Amino acid sequence: MSSPLQAFSDRVLFGMLSEAPDLALNLGIAEVAGKALPEAGLPDFSAEGVDRRGRLMDAWALELDRLPGAHDDSTDALTRRVLHYFLQEGFLNRFHGRSGRALAQKVDPLTHLTGVHATAVEMFARDHPLGSPADAEHYVERLSKLPRALRDATDTLRSGRRRGHAGARPVIERAAQNIRGSLHDRPQEHLFYRTLAQAMNRDSMRPGAPLLDRAARLIEGEIRAGYELLLQELDLQVAAPGQSPANGDPEGLYRWRFAGHTTTAVAPADAHRLGKEELRRLHAELLEEFRALGIDLPLGEAFAAMMAKDRYPDGEPGRAEALAECVRQVADAGTSLRPLFNLWPRADAVVRPVELENEGSQHSHYVPPRMGEGAPGVFWVNLRQTLAAPRSETAI
């Protein structure tokens, strides 16, 4: 039988994942404590959504404070500490603890790596399960909600700009470039359509022409219109006289984000000093290593010389070679590590390239296997970034 704290933590998790279906997809979680999560939701990018999530966090914090802790075992005590930190000081997805919520309003809601366009790519091109006809129906149902999400995100950006807050110009310009690169003349060329069409070709799927036709209509109509309105607002953001996203308390914002990302009590200035000391040490070691290789040059020139000797070919031959090298390294790592473990995951690990139109907004990253699905873990490789580095850095 679960303790009151465990039951409470289940309610918090269910509430969070209901509000953040992108996080639920990424984690491969479809239910919490036997209660099914909504199957076709999208995050709420509206101002009302921000307020609702804030009220949820406050209500959960109040409920946690009222839960008796006298009989907590070691597991409950740790759960209580984690929940207290998250609800008061932490942040995850679009949820912000009390201490940083006012500061969070100063964080840009959209960059080349975050915001509605990046979330859509992650959900529809990477994380959404497409192993059954029901999955495909949920996929298209989610697609039908994307125009609303795009409008809400555009309204949020417009409201901030009218209050005098425009996003940082370089990241807004890059986000706009990425979005324009994802739009095509024919809906069948769009990444989301291609993802669905590829899944519908599997034997486990029944003929999916109606779903594909609906997806094409959505992409060509409301979704394209939503992206175009978003692009218009991003152009206005670029033209606006930008203000700091931390306007009012830049040091407070930095301290809060630094503590949340590092989960340490180290002051940012102290971490900066330690980082510079470590860089000096590493640079000295690197210079010695380069000299041992016969390259006696300043560090920047030494890296350039190594790159000239150790780079992939340009164009498609280089992309093919880099992808093959990544596949080989993952396979070799599995072979080398297997004897070290008594237990080994049933799921495989595979390598897939980030789509061309998303190479400007997605870094190489790993997505673990989804629980209960038998899907593999995926190393998503940004080949543009891989080709920009020496071969010797591919494993990094």
Side-chain angles (χ1 to χ4, degrees):
M1 182 175 178
S2 66
S3 69
L5 184 65
Q6 290 171 331
F8 169 71
S9 66
D10 286 340
R11 291 201 306 276
V12 171
L13 181 60
F14 183 87
M16 283 187 61
L17 296 182
S18 298
E19 285 280 334
D22 53 325
L23 182 59
L25 282 184
N26 180 252
L27 296 173
I29 297 177
E31 57 88 22
V32 177
K35 187 175 181 181
L37 290 164
E39 293 178 313
L42 277 183
D44 187 343
F45 292 92
S46 69
E48 292 78 10
V50 173
D51 292 339
R52 183 178 61 254
R53 290 188 290 272
R55 291 194 299 272
L56 275 173
M57 294 286 279
D58 288 343
W60 289 333
L62 183 61
E63 186 174 355
L64 179 64
D65 288 343
R66 291 173 174 171
L67 281 176
H71 301 292
D72 284 353
D73 60 19
S74 58
T75 299
D76 275 358
L78 179 58
T79 299
R80 186 182 295 272
R81 287 175 57 195
V82 171
L83 285 168
H84 184 270
Y85 177 84
F86 170 63
L87 296 172
Q88 297 293 341
E89 302 175 44
F91 53 85
L92 176 66
N93 196 266
R94 281 164 290 278
F95 289 88
H96 304 96
R98 282 180 174 177
S99 68
R101 195 171 305 148
L103 295 168
Q105 295 174 5
K106 305 298 183 182
V107 177
D108 288 335
L110 183 146
T111 71
H112 60 295
L113 298 175
T114 64
V116 63
H117 66 300
T119 298
V121 168
E122 291 169 355
M123 293 183 73
F124 291 110
R126 189 191 70 183
D127 293 338
H128 203 296
L130 280 169
S132 69
D135 289 340
E137 290 172 2
H138 296 150
Y139 185 96
V140 177
E141 184 63 27
R142 272 199 170 98
L143 270 183
S144 73
K145 298 174 182 178
L146 183 55
R148 171 65 182 272
L150 290 165
R151 289 195 299 272
D152 287 343
T154 301
D155 289 343
T156 300
L157 285 165
R158 182 185 300 115
S159 176
R161 175 174 55 80
R162 289 174 174 173
R163 294 195 309 269
H165 171 60
R169 184 171 291 112
V171 296
I172 293 293
E173 288 177 336
R174 188 168 171 185
Q177 179 183 9
N178 293 341
I179 293 171
R180 287 191 174 94
S182 70
L183 300 179
H184 298 278
D185 292 335
R186 297 178 63 251
Q188 291 80 5
E189 296 173 348
H190 195 283
L191 176 60
F192 300 163
Y193 183 94
R194 300 197 321 263
T195 301
L196 178 63
Q198 182 179 12
M200 298 302 290
N201 285 331
R202 300 187 190 123
D203 293 338
S204 61
M205 294 290 198
R206 58 176 173 258
L211 278 180
L212 287 169
D213 289 345
R214 186 184 178 202
R217 291 194 300 272
L218 285 167
I219 291 167
E220 186 175 32
E222 293 179 75
I223 291 175
R224 186 180 186 92
Y227 275 119
E228 288 174 346
L229 286 174
L230 177 59
L231 283 169
Q232 291 174 19
E233 176 56 35
L234 295 183
D235 288 341
L236 292 172
Q237 295 266 328
V238 170
Q243 293 186 1
S244 166
N247 184 32
D249 187 11
E251 293 185 0
L253 173 65
Y254 189 79
R255 285 194 301 271
W256 170 63
R257 298 291 283 190
F258 182 85
H261 281 297
T262 63
T263 65
T264 71
V266 178
D270 292 337
H272 185 219
R273 184 179 62 256
L274 289 170
K276 289 197 297 185
E277 291 173 357
E278 184 67 4
L279 273 178
R280 284 192 290 269
R281 184 186 68 78
L282 290 172
H283 286 178
E285 286 189 13
L286 286 167
L287 285 170
E288 288 299 319
E289 293 293 335
F290 276 123
R291 291 188 186 107
L293 295 172
I295 303 175
D296 192 3
L297 295 168
L299 197 57
E301 296 178 27
F303 272 112
M306 183 179 72
M307 180 64 186
K309 297 179 180 179
D310 190 34
R311 61 174 300 169
Y312 288 103
D314 293 330
E316 286 305 316
R319 296 175 68 86
E321 184 179 337
L323 182 60
E325 178 61 17
C326 292
V327 171
R328 184 191 67 77
Q329 290 190 10
V330 169
D332 286 351
T335 301
S336 300
L337 293 172
R338 181 64 183 89
L340 303 178
F341 296 89
N342 293 326
L343 295 176
W344 193 255
R346 288 192 297 270
D348 291 329
V350 299
V351 177
R352 294 176 184 161
V354 170
E355 294 283 347
L356 281 171
E357 56 261 58
N358 297 318
E359 288 183 344
S361 59
Q362 281 193 9
H363 297 292
S364 298
H365 61 283
Y366 175 66
V367 177
R370 302 197 204 301
M371 292 186 292
E373 291 184 17
V378 181
F379 287 93
W380 290 94
V381 178
N382 186 315
L383 292 175
R384 182 193 301 177
Q385 295 175 354
T386 303
L387 265 63
R391 280 187 175 91
S392 55
E393 292 186 10
T394 301
I396 300 174

